[in-house]
Amino acid sequence: MIENPEIANDIVRAVSEKLGREAILRKVINRKEYFILDLAFSYFQKADRNRRNDYRSGYLYYEKNNENYLLFVISHSPIMTGFFKNNFDYDALKNIIVDTAECRDENYIRYKIKGAYVEIKTNSLKEFLMKLDEIEKYSFVKSVFSKDKKGKTGVGNMFGLRLAKGFKQSDVANIIEKSWDLFLWLYPSKPIFKTEVSHFLVAA
């Protein structure tokens, strides 16, 4: 059993409360990075035969240089990327970025297009949103989530949005609440969850 940062466990609890069932936690091998996700994501990927399966879609927590970070990430999973694209709402994305801005001092997004990584990083929220608007002029979905055709089946996309940096443990539930639509976009259609859960499970 691995030892997990206390805040990572709090994120698991907050996501579990939203799901109405236990969320799970996966540690990245040889890294102090933790993904918090729904076990259902594994079943979605297994149903997508002959495609790459990867558990790294959901919330990502890690600590670096004495600061903690919380991101929303989709990594190398064509089917999860497909669900996210189908449910994606650009205005809702911008609202999430604005609503969580108080939890970070730097805005950051990273994605992969045509085999190359693109990073946008600014301290100014206004400037950050303007840069995203420039992408939206040519369709945010078609640009950021354009299909990567490497390999026989494609390796999917890389997408990471920083939600919080240097945040307090007491902020966790609020951050999850404000960013929850991102998580919902990882489903075939927007699900309805129960509002209560009796217990939580943190899986290694």
Side-chain angles (χ1 to χ4, degrees):
M1 186 73 173
I2 62 171
E3 293 184 5
N4 304 315
E6 188 175 350
I7 292 183
N9 283 323
D10 283 348
I11 298 168
V12 172
R13 293 186 184 95
V15 173
S16 295
E17 288 181 358
K18 296 293 292 183
L19 287 173
R21 61 175 180 271
E22 298 89 348
I24 60 173
L25 182 145
R26 292 287 184 265
K27 182 180 182 294
V28 180
I29 297 174
N30 298 323
R31 296 183 186 180
K32 293 182 178 180
E33 299 179 359
Y34 306 86
F35 278 87
I36 296 89
L37 59 151
D38 185 353
L39 183 60
F41 297 164
S42 295
Y43 295 107
F44 297 157
Q45 293 180 89
K46 287 177 182 177
D48 189 27
R49 296 182 179 181
N50 301 316
R51 303 299 294 270
R52 175 171 175 168
N53 295 332
D54 203 305
Y55 63 81
R56 303 177 189 188
S57 296
Y59 290 107
L60 168 63
Y61 174 81
Y62 65 92
E63 297 177 1
K64 182 179 179 181
N65 298 329
N66 297 318
E67 282 199 289
N68 55 15
Y69 295 79
L70 181 60
L71 288 78
F72 177 82
V73 173
I74 306 175
S75 175
H76 298 316
S77 179
I79 192 168
M80 303 305 290
T81 300
F83 293 157
F84 193 83
K85 287 168 60 177
N86 290 338
N87 294 315
F88 182 81
D89 182 315
Y90 180 67
D91 289 333
L93 174 70
K94 289 179 65 176
N95 287 337
I96 291 168
I97 291 170
V98 172
D99 289 345
T100 57
E102 63 183 6
C103 299
R104 60 182 183 273
D105 60 4
E106 183 180 62
N107 307 287
Y108 176 82
I109 192 170
R110 183 173 187 252
Y111 59 94
K112 189 176 183 182
I113 183 169
K114 296 181 179 179
Y117 287 102
V118 176
E119 292 184 336
I120 300 174
K121 184 189 301 184
T122 73
N123 295 112
S124 167
L125 177 61
K126 182 178 180 180
E127 180 183 352
F128 187 69
L129 294 175
M130 287 176 63
K131 289 180 179 292
L132 298 188
D133 284 342
E134 287 297 316
I135 299 173
E136 175 63 8
K137 287 181 180 179
Y138 303 97
S139 175
F140 195 92
V141 167
K142 290 181 180 179
S143 298
V144 175
F145 299 104
S146 59
K147 188 175 181 181
D148 190 332
K149 298 181 180 180
K150 279 189 177 181
K152 293 182 179 180
T153 60
V155 296
N157 299 77
M158 281 289 297
F159 172 76
L161 174 67
R162 182 176 296 163
L163 298 170
K165 175 185 175 184
F167 60 99
K168 298 177 182 178
Q169 192 168 350
S170 58
D171 294 331
V172 168
N174 189 43
I175 297 169
I176 298 303
E177 177 68 33
K178 289 182 175 180
S179 63
W180 189 239
D181 270 351
L182 295 173
F183 201 86
L184 293 183
W185 294 344
L186 292 172
Y187 293 85
S189 59
K190 192 169 183 178
I192 299 175
F193 296 119
K194 296 178 181 178
T195 57
E196 296 182 358
V197 60
S198 58
H199 62 285
F200 306 104
L201 173 67
V202 178

